[in-house]
Amino acid sequence: MTVDGDVVLRPARTGDGAAVFEVTRQSIRALAKGHYSEAQLAGWMGDRTPAYYEDLIAQGRMVVAERDRRILGFVDAEAGEVTRLFLLAEAAGAGLGRRLLEIGIAAARAGHAGPIRLEATINAEGFYRRHGFRTTGRGVFSHGLGGDPIEVVHMEL
């Protein structure tokens, strides 16, 4: 599927793990800066590697957005939850995040009748609010792969 003429949305495939890893890493460093401590930013990825993302891709739930064969962002979802949505800073603010979120919501609704939940980073709370999510609480996301705990905002649609 093509968006805005030159951005293609497609299922993630084997071999995309390194690019998805980099999108996540760069997104965190650029978009979460000023909302989290330097120690949290530095340790956010913990022990994650491109292989970690290859394992997620193998589950068949991830969609990537690419331009000229370069991945700009991705979304991953499971029944009832949008689990990951990351964009490169250069792609933020142009509607691509909204489109990926729509894909994530649709995937989270497949076979699920209840609310759609997500754990937003502090910097992304406003984005999700603009798209209909409401805050239900705050907590700490510890991804279990090393690094400092990260404060998150629990949200649902």
Side-chain angles (χ1 to χ4, degrees), residues 17-91:
V20 170
F21 171 88
E22 277 304 310
V23 166
T24 307
R25 189 184 67 75
Q26 290 179 34
S27 176
I28 289 163
R29 295 297 294 170
L31 299 176
K33 188 177 183 177
H35 298 275
Y36 293 94
S37 73
E38 187 57 38
Q40 287 173 310
L41 294 172
W44 195 309
M45 295 296 286
D47 295 331
R48 287 186 179 126
T49 65
Y52 169 82
Y53 292 93
E54 287 293 341
D55 290 344
L56 292 174
I57 289 165
Q59 295 173 21
R61 300 185 314 240
M62 188 181 293
V63 173
V64 299
E66 69 180 6
R67 177 184 296 129
D68 299 326
R69 299 186 187 267
R70 179 173 175 239
I71 294 178
L72 304 174
F74 70 95
V75 66
D76 193 28
E78 58 189 47
E81 183 177 9
V82 177
T83 52
R84 291 167 200 83
L85 193 161
F86 287 94
L87 287 177
L88 293 175
E90 68 194 65

Side-chain angles (χ1 to χ4, degrees), residues 97-99 101-102 105 126-133 157:
R98 175 192 50 78
R99 184 65 186 112
L101 181 59
E102 290 169 352
I105 291 168
F127 167 78
Y128 291 113
R129 280 183 183 272
R130 286 190 301 277
H131 293 91
F133 282 81
L157 179 65

